[in-house]
Amino acid sequence: MFSYEKLLLQNKAWAAEKEAEDPTYFNKLEHIQTPEFLWIGCSDSRVPANEITGTNPGEIFVHRNVANLVVNTDVNLGSVIDYAVNHLKIRHIIVCGHYGCGGIKAAMNNHDYRTVLNKWLRNIKDVYRLHRDQLDAVTNPDERADLLVELNVREQVLNLAKTSTIQKAWKHENRPYLHGWVYRLKNGVIKPIFEMSPGTHIDPIYEYDDL
Ligand code: CO
């Protein structure tokens, strides 16, 4: 049996189990999608949004990319945010990074990862430059990487707050709350590190005054 065939078998077993537990399970899920949360996490296979938060299908709208970045020109994430905020009317956006993130570590060295990855990791290098004094003061390389994981999450939450989509929802609907979290692979525990309530002021150059 090929490895992928195991996935399909497991899927059959899972669907049968759900159906047995609750015969209306799939019928209910098919007709409602009202998640309260948008999750922006790392693509890392060890950080699955539903499993680590004990949530079920239907509860979290999910976007994942390398090192959980909120990049201004990313049409993919932009569409996810627009749909989540303006159509699903989600109340909370969570940016969840994780200690030991390979993307963060890769951005901290000077290796050439070739064009596309270099471009993506550049966003993290920019975060490093913004906080260089604080980061360079940490001598242990693992601790420095962990600090960059936290600072990166913080910057990505700020990147959300810079968007007109978020500012408009803040102004007219007093939502969504923005959260920066970091997951620890070693013990499975999430540490909240940063939060922004609707209407929080940021550097005025980013604030739109005619939304
Ligand atoms: Co990662």
Side-chain angles (χ1 to χ4, degrees), residues 42-44 46-47 65-68 98 100-104:
C42 184
S43 295
D44 192 305
R46 300 164 296 177
V47 196
N65 61 39
V66 172
N68 41 270
H98 65 103
C101 182
I104 296 288

mmCIF file of all heavy atoms in Angstrom, residues 42-44 46-47 65-68 98 100-104, ligand 1:
data_model
loop_
_atom_site.group_PDB
_atom_site.id
_atom_site.type_symbol
_atom_site.label_atom_id
_atom_site.label_comp_id
_atom_site.label_asym_id
_atom_site.label_seq_id
_atom_site.Cartn_x
_atom_site.Cartn_y
_atom_site.Cartn_z
ATOM 1 N N CYS A 42 1.755 28.828 11.241
ATOM 2 C CA CYS A 42 2.863 28.331 10.431
ATOM 3 C C CYS A 42 2.438 27.041 9.740
ATOM 4 O O CYS A 42 1.638 26.271 10.263
ATOM 5 C CB CYS A 42 4.091 28.077 11.293
ATOM 6 S SG CYS A 42 5.543 27.565 10.329
ATOM 7 N N SER A 43 2.981 26.811 8.534
ATOM 8 C CA SER A 43 2.665 25.589 7.777
ATOM 9 C C SER A 43 3.234 24.336 8.442
ATOM 10 O O SER A 43 2.859 23.223 8.070
ATOM 11 C CB SER A 43 3.258 25.679 6.367
ATOM 12 O OG SER A 43 2.646 26.714 5.665
ATOM 13 N N ASP A 44 4.118 24.499 9.404
ATOM 14 C CA ASP A 44 4.752 23.377 10.106
ATOM 15 C C ASP A 44 3.722 22.307 10.475
ATOM 16 O O ASP A 44 2.704 22.604 11.102
ATOM 17 C CB ASP A 44 5.451 23.920 11.365
ATOM 18 C CG ASP A 44 6.376 22.889 11.986
ATOM 19 O OD1 ASP A 44 5.915 21.764 12.287
ATOM 20 O OD2 ASP A 44 7.565 23.209 12.176
ATOM 21 N N ARG A 46 3.640 20.176 12.625
ATOM 22 C CA ARG A 46 3.460 19.885 14.052
ATOM 23 C C ARG A 46 2.561 20.884 14.762
ATOM 24 O O ARG A 46 2.363 20.807 15.972
ATOM 25 C CB ARG A 46 4.831 19.848 14.737
ATOM 26 C CG ARG A 46 5.761 18.791 14.174
ATOM 27 C CD ARG A 46 7.195 19.031 14.585
ATOM 28 N NE ARG A 46 7.723 20.285 14.037
ATOM 29 C CZ ARG A 46 8.937 20.760 14.284
ATOM 30 N NH1 ARG A 46 9.753 20.099 15.066
ATOM 31 N NH2 ARG A 46 9.342 21.893 13.741
ATOM 32 N N VAL A 47 2.039 21.875 14.010
ATOM 33 C CA VAL A 47 1.214 22.906 14.652
ATOM 34 C C VAL A 47 -0.167 23.019 13.982
ATOM 35 O O VAL A 47 -0.502 24.034 13.387
ATOM 36 C CB VAL A 47 1.936 24.281 14.631
ATOM 37 C CG1 VAL A 47 1.290 25.234 15.626
ATOM 38 C CG2 VAL A 47 3.417 24.140 14.960
ATOM 39 N N ASN A 65 1.095 29.642 6.489
ATOM 40 C CA ASN A 65 2.207 29.808 5.559
ATOM 41 C C ASN A 65 3.506 29.675 6.346
ATOM 42 O O ASN A 65 3.482 29.540 7.577
ATOM 43 C CB ASN A 65 2.106 31.146 4.801
ATOM 44 C CG ASN A 65 2.148 32.367 5.719
ATOM 45 O OD1 ASN A 65 2.907 32.405 6.700
ATOM 46 N ND2 ASN A 65 1.351 33.380 5.412
ATOM 47 N N VAL A 66 4.631 29.713 5.645
ATOM 48 C CA VAL A 66 5.917 29.564 6.317
ATOM 49 C C VAL A 66 6.147 30.733 7.279
ATOM 50 O O VAL A 66 6.153 31.898 6.864
ATOM 51 C CB VAL A 66 7.071 29.479 5.283
ATOM 52 C CG1 VAL A 66 8.429 29.524 5.984
ATOM 53 C CG2 VAL A 66 6.945 28.212 4.457
ATOM 54 N N ALA A 67 6.246 30.431 8.553
ATOM 55 C CA ALA A 67 6.530 31.400 9.624
ATOM 56 C C ALA A 67 5.391 32.395 9.877
ATOM 57 O O ALA A 67 5.632 33.508 10.341
ATOM 58 C CB ALA A 67 7.850 32.122 9.394
ATOM 59 N N ASN A 68 4.164 31.975 9.552
ATOM 60 C CA ASN A 68 2.961 32.772 9.884
ATOM 61 C C ASN A 68 3.121 34.276 9.635
ATOM 62 O O ASN A 68 2.995 35.093 10.544
ATOM 63 C CB ASN A 68 2.514 32.509 11.340
ATOM 64 C CG ASN A 68 3.670 32.424 12.336
ATOM 65 O OD1 ASN A 68 4.213 31.326 12.567
ATOM 66 N ND2 ASN A 68 4.040 33.557 12.891
ATOM 67 N N HIS A 98 5.494 29.578 16.497
ATOM 68 C CA HIS A 98 5.923 28.492 17.385
ATOM 69 C C HIS A 98 7.431 28.549 17.582
ATOM 70 O O HIS A 98 8.182 28.857 16.654
ATOM 71 C CB HIS A 98 5.493 27.126 16.841
ATOM 72 C CG HIS A 98 6.144 26.764 15.536
ATOM 73 N ND1 HIS A 98 7.177 25.871 15.442
ATOM 74 C CD2 HIS A 98 5.923 27.199 14.273
ATOM 75 C CE1 HIS A 98 7.549 25.759 14.191
ATOM 76 N NE2 HIS A 98 6.809 26.561 13.452
ATOM 77 N N GLY A 100 11.121 27.265 17.853
ATOM 78 C CA GLY A 100 11.782 26.258 17.021
ATOM 79 C C GLY A 100 11.355 26.329 15.572
ATOM 80 O O GLY A 100 11.561 25.372 14.817
ATOM 81 N N CYS A 101 10.780 27.434 15.155
ATOM 82 C CA CYS A 101 10.283 27.584 13.779
ATOM 83 C C CYS A 101 11.438 27.584 12.763
ATOM 84 O O CYS A 101 12.362 28.401 12.846
ATOM 85 C CB CYS A 101 9.488 28.887 13.659
ATOM 86 S SG CYS A 101 8.769 29.137 12.021
ATOM 87 N N GLY A 102 11.387 26.658 11.814
ATOM 88 C CA GLY A 102 12.435 26.538 10.804
ATOM 89 C C GLY A 102 12.555 27.775 9.929
ATOM 90 O O GLY A 102 13.655 28.158 9.529
ATOM 91 N N GLY A 103 11.422 28.424 9.645
ATOM 92 C CA GLY A 103 11.436 29.629 8.822
ATOM 93 C C GLY A 103 12.182 30.757 9.519
ATOM 94 O O GLY A 103 12.969 31.487 8.897
ATOM 95 N N ILE A 104 11.938 30.882 10.809
ATOM 96 C CA ILE A 104 12.611 31.927 11.589
ATOM 97 C C ILE A 104 14.116 31.664 11.635
ATOM 98 O O ILE A 104 14.931 32.566 11.399
ATOM 99 C CB ILE A 104 12.035 31.970 13.032
ATOM 100 C CG1 ILE A 104 10.556 32.359 13.005
ATOM 101 C CG2 ILE A 104 12.868 32.895 13.929
ATOM 102 C CD1 ILE A 104 10.257 33.796 12.670
HETATM 103 CO CO CO B 1 7.352 27.318 11.642
#
